[in-house]
Each structure stands twice: as C-alpha cells, then as structure tokens.
Amino acid sequence: MQSSVTANRSNSPWRNPWVLGWIGLIVVVLGVNLTMVYLAVSTNPGLVSEDFYNRGQHYEQTLVSRLAKDPGWTMRTDFPDDLRPGEPATIRVVLVDKVGQPVTPDEVTFFAYRPSDKSRDFSAPMTAEGPGRYAAQVVFPLFGAWDGLIAVRQGEDEFTTGDAIIVTRPDRPEN
C-alpha cells in the first residue's frame, strides 16, 4: 500500500520540472503584461482633443472653407538640421504670394508640439527679418521627435505649415 502512494506522488505532474517551467513562464508573461497595462494607463499624456467629436463632424466643412479662403501663398520653412536640447536655434519661414511677392501678415507664430508629452509644448512669436521673412529663436528642452507648426494669421484667417523635427541627443562625455 505504501509503495503505490509513493509511486503516485512521484508521477504527479506538479513535480515535473517542465510543468513547473511552463507555469512559471505563464506567470511571468502575465505579470509583465499587467505591468505594461498599468504603465500605459498611469502615464497617459492625454493628447486627445477635448472636442474631438465636434471637430470630426465639421471636418469636411472646415476643409472646404479653408480651400475656398486659400490665398495661394507659398510658405517655405527652414528648420535647422543640428538641433540640440538646451541650445538656442533659429526657425525661419519665407512667405510669398502667387506671383512671388513677399507677404506681410498680421502675425506669425511658431508652435512646437511634443507628441509624447503635451506639457512640454511651447510657442514663440516670429519677428520680421525682412519682407516676407520671419524668424524665431527657440530652445528645445528635450531631445527626440517634435512636431513644428508655423501659423500665419491674416485678419480672421489662419494658414499653417509644419514638419517633423528631430532634436538630436547631446553627446555623452567620453570616459
């Protein structure tokens, strides 16, 4: 009788290292997934627009009205290639009309958006360097990907142009 109980215990699947290994693997994977879900929820930057539904419903009307009001300006932006965090850089834009004459709008503003953290977004007014040429001195606080947008306001109308900006990581000191 004793030997059959001992034989049953040694054949138990809970004593097999393969079964224990698979159970351990499943527990680790579930733990990592739960950790990732927690981090995704707790660090969400909340970059969704508050009135996304209304903006989406009026998107077609907005697009048609913008095309109707388009003055035909050409906006050429100049974002430096060697941007570094904490160092001042000059962002420029050149504005010309349909026939190539410089445009003098009411206001030109540069906006920098950090896709991963809206608390780092900033803007800077652009000043005239010459006819149709505007510039702004900016300092990016962090390295990485940014979205640069230049908004030109003429009366009630606003025209924008933008591009992706990469701020390079500062060089690490050598040992």
Side-chain angles (χ1 to χ4, degrees), residues 107-123:
E107 181 182 12
V108 182
T109 308
F110 171 73
F111 296 94
Y113 298 105
R114 180 80 171 173
S116 61
D117 185 3
K118 71 179 181 179
S119 68
R120 299 295 188 156
D121 296 351
F122 65 92
S123 64

Side-chain angles (χ1 to χ4, degrees), residues 23-163:
I23 291 172
L25 181 65
I26 290 171
V27 168
V28 167
V29 167
L30 288 175
V32 168
N33 283 336
L34 290 174
T35 302
M36 291 299 187
V37 167
Y38 171 75
L39 291 175
V41 171
S42 66
T43 62
N44 179 16
L47 296 177
V48 176
S49 175
E50 296 294 329
D51 60 344
F52 66 91
Y53 183 76
N54 293 333
R55 291 181 73 183
Q57 282 195 321
H58 302 297
Y59 178 74
E60 187 174 347
Q61 291 174 338
T62 303
L63 188 61
V64 170
S65 66
R66 278 192 180 178
L67 290 174
K69 292 179 182 180
D70 184 17
W73 295 347
T74 300
M75 295 189 270
R76 185 173 45 89
T77 58
D78 179 22
F79 297 115
D81 292 332
D82 58 344
L83 292 170
R84 299 205 184 281
E87 295 179 9
T90 303
I91 307 294
R92 290 187 170 83
V93 64
V94 176
L95 305 166
V96 295
D97 62 12
K98 293 177 185 175
V99 294
Q101 295 299 314
V103 174
T104 307
D106 296 336
E107 181 182 12
V108 182
T109 308
F110 171 73
F111 296 94
Y113 298 105
R114 180 80 171 173
S116 61
D117 185 3
K118 71 179 181 179
S119 68
R120 299 295 188 156
D121 296 351
F122 65 92
S123 64
M126 299 185 85
T127 56
E129 286 186 322
R133 294 177 47 90
Y134 295 85
Q137 284 282 343
V138 296
V139 177
F140 288 89
L142 298 172
F143 68 89
W146 291 79
D147 291 327
L149 181 82
I150 296 176
V152 179
R153 185 174 301 277
Q154 181 70 29
E156 294 294 317
D157 299 326
E158 183 176 83
F159 308 98
T160 59
T161 186
D163 203 359

